[in-house]
Amino acid sequence: MKKIVAAVSLATMLAGAACAADISFSYTGSNYVKSSAGNLSLDSRADCLSLEVSNDTSGVVVDFDTDEGSIVQDVYYAWMNFAIPAAVLQAKAGVWVSRDVNRVRTDAGDLEGADFELNKPGIINGSAGKDVTNLTKGKIAMQASYINSDSLPGKLTARFTLINASFNPDAASATSATESGDVEDSDITLKCGFAASAEYLQEELIRVNLAARYLEKKTVAAGLFVSPLMLPGVDLTVGGTFAYTKPYDSTNKVWSNSGTEWGVDLRARYAFTEKFSVTTMHNISSGYDSSEDDNTLVLWDMLNLTYKVNDKASVGFTANATFDNLDSDHVFTGADLVGSPYVRIDANERVAVTASIRAEASGVNPKIDGHETVDVTIPVIFAFNY
């Protein structure tokens, strides 16, 4: 706790020294109460505290979470902009999650992850292409970005990232292995992965995202996502992901069989009125399992209905359905279903409380009576932003 106070105090003093600095602070406390055998008990509690100090040319962000009662600094990075002819060059370093693609999350609120958007764009059950647009995957990274919004009809952003990833397999005498699994001291030493992305955005026309990463030896993934912006009231993203992987067996010091993966995403939000909107998300993925040297097919669908009662209250309902083992080579064991009605109260523009009742049914299969399991969780989330 002393470390957190010291970090916050230092950041505050630095901000005070910079007369043009903007300071933003946020706190989110999430409580999850679970029902079991008619009893209610506190299932988990999570807190997130974030502080950002920035101006037009530079900034720093620190973020602390709780993990089983311990405080963990999970995000910390700094960035700086340099003006160059007709563009901006940005340098960034630290630990952060990097996703640029339009994920159609206008109505996500504070229920992201467990309710709204169970899966990120990419290959849901992929070993290489899961969450493909997350270039850094929360690892230490250095990134250079080229941002051009002056000499083009739209805005072009290109990023290249070096990441402290497990690029090399385990080895006793060197840091990489040959195709046969033997390790030689003469092997090239690499201890970082690579990622790159490009985005072109032209208002009221189109947004295109291309992302690729190479974070492990013999494993590469790439995704392309497009958002048409010319449709009134519609927020839409469609895209596909492809990945190649050849996992390394660190126990036996050999390379496993190689495999390919693919996934297709479709996300759309339509605002019927200023108060009522519908969001749907769909993904079909074929992920590779090296232990079986085979792919499995999974389908995920999400539906969200959101109604804004007034300026301070909104209600909604989110439903998720996941169907695994859909291909002919595997046996469908059952669907996983999640239903979450919720209400959000905004006390003011900085403070909000969200409460929900989440019902989860796992292994739902009409052919197997009583096979499913049902859990009920009550999330209560308090959020403060300054």
Side-chain angles (χ1 to χ4, degrees):
M1 188 65 184
K2 292 181 179 179
K3 293 182 179 180
I4 295 179
V5 174
V8 173
S9 300
L10 177 60
T12 304
M13 288 188 292
L14 291 175
C19 59
D22 294 325
I23 304 173
S24 62
F25 170 83
S26 67
Y27 166 79
T28 302
S30 304
N31 300 272
Y32 299 92
V33 178
K34 200 150 194 175
S35 173
S36 177
N39 299 317
L40 293 177
S41 60
L42 184 64
D43 182 53
S44 64
R45 166 70 186 269
D47 298 274
C48 177
L49 181 150
S50 181
L51 176 68
E52 178 177 359
V53 182
S54 64
N55 54 31
D56 292 338
T57 60
S58 60
V60 61
V61 176
V62 291
D63 185 294
F64 299 91
D65 288 351
T66 57
D67 183 10
E68 297 182 354
S70 301
I71 296 178
V72 179
Q73 186 179 8
D74 65 334
V75 172
Y76 52 93
Y77 63 90
W79 56 268
M80 183 174 293
N81 289 339
F82 303 89
I84 60 176
V88 172
L89 183 65
Q90 183 184 88
K92 188 175 182 179
V95 175
W96 74 96
V97 174
S98 176
R99 298 187 186 97
D100 289 335
V101 70
N102 175 23
R103 292 155 53 195
V104 192
R105 298 171 58 252
T106 301
D107 297 322
D110 294 314
L111 291 171
E112 176 196 351
D115 300 274
F116 197 105
E117 196 191 26
L118 282 179
N119 300 285
K120 305 298 188 292
I123 302 169
I124 294 177
N125 55 350
S127 61
K130 186 179 180 67
D131 194 6
V132 68
T133 61
N134 182 2
L135 300 183
T136 61
K137 297 183 71 173
K139 301 179 184 294
I140 294 176
M142 295 185 298
Q143 184 178 87
S145 301
Y146 171 83
I147 306 168
N148 187 333
S149 56
D150 296 330
S151 60
L152 299 171
K155 179 180 178 181
L156 173 66
T157 302
R159 307 188 193 278
F160 179 75
T161 312
L162 297 177
I163 305 163
N164 183 21
S166 57
F167 186 86
N168 293 302
D170 298 332
S173 60
T175 55
S176 66
T178 61
E179 183 71 23
S180 64
D182 298 329
V183 179
E184 299 176 359
D185 291 328
S186 60
D187 285 341
I188 297 175
T189 299
L190 287 173
K191 287 193 174 181
C192 68
F194 309 89
S197 69
E199 176 185 274
Y200 180 74
L201 170 63
Q202 188 166 344
E203 296 293 343
E204 299 183 358
L205 181 61
I206 198 168
R207 176 178 178 178
V208 181
N209 291 86
L210 174 64
R213 66 188 187 201
Y214 187 27
L215 304 187
E216 298 178 24
K217 191 172 184 178
K218 302 182 185 296
T219 296
V220 63
L224 177 64
F225 299 87
V226 179
S227 296
L229 305 179
M230 73 290 288
L231 306 174
V234 177
D235 188 8
L236 172 66
T237 293
V238 60
T241 303
F242 179 81
Y244 168 85
T245 180
K246 187 177 179 68
Y248 182 72
D249 184 346
S250 59
T251 301
N252 299 311
K253 303 291 185 184
V254 295
W255 294 98
S256 302
N257 293 325
S258 62
T260 58
E261 304 177 330
W262 58 266
V264 177
D265 279 278
L266 173 62
R267 299 172 173 223
R269 176 185 184 269
Y270 182 72
F272 287 91
T273 66
E274 292 183 356
K275 292 187 174 183
F276 179 63
S277 62
V278 176
T279 302
T280 66
M281 298 186 180
H282 312 276
N283 178 289
I284 183 167
S285 296
S286 176
Y288 178 68
D289 185 346
S290 60
S291 63
E292 297 184 3
D293 188 22
D294 200 2
N295 285 61
T296 58
L297 196 65
V298 58
L299 173 67
W300 166 62
D301 300 292
M302 188 208 80
L303 172 67
N304 171 267
L305 309 176
T306 296
Y307 181 75
K308 189 173 182 179
V309 180
N310 52 45
D311 292 338
K312 293 187 177 296
S314 58
V315 295
F317 176 79
T318 304
N320 286 273
T322 304
F323 306 88
D324 206 347
N325 295 329
L326 292 179
D327 46 302
S328 59
D329 295 334
H330 299 84
V331 178
F332 173 70
T333 56
D336 296 331
L337 309 178
V338 182
S340 308
Y342 61 90
V343 58
R344 175 187 170 99
I345 305 296
D346 292 271
N348 53 52
E349 62 182 6
R350 295 177 178 173
V351 181
V353 178
T354 302
S356 174
I357 300 177
R358 179 191 306 144
E360 304 176 70
S362 303
V364 178
N365 190 341
K367 296 182 179 180
I368 307 176
D369 187 32
H371 176 66
E372 67 276 0
T373 60
V374 179
D375 292 309
V376 177
T377 305
I378 303 175
V380 179
I381 302 172
F382 172 84
F384 171 81
N385 295 280
Y386 177 79

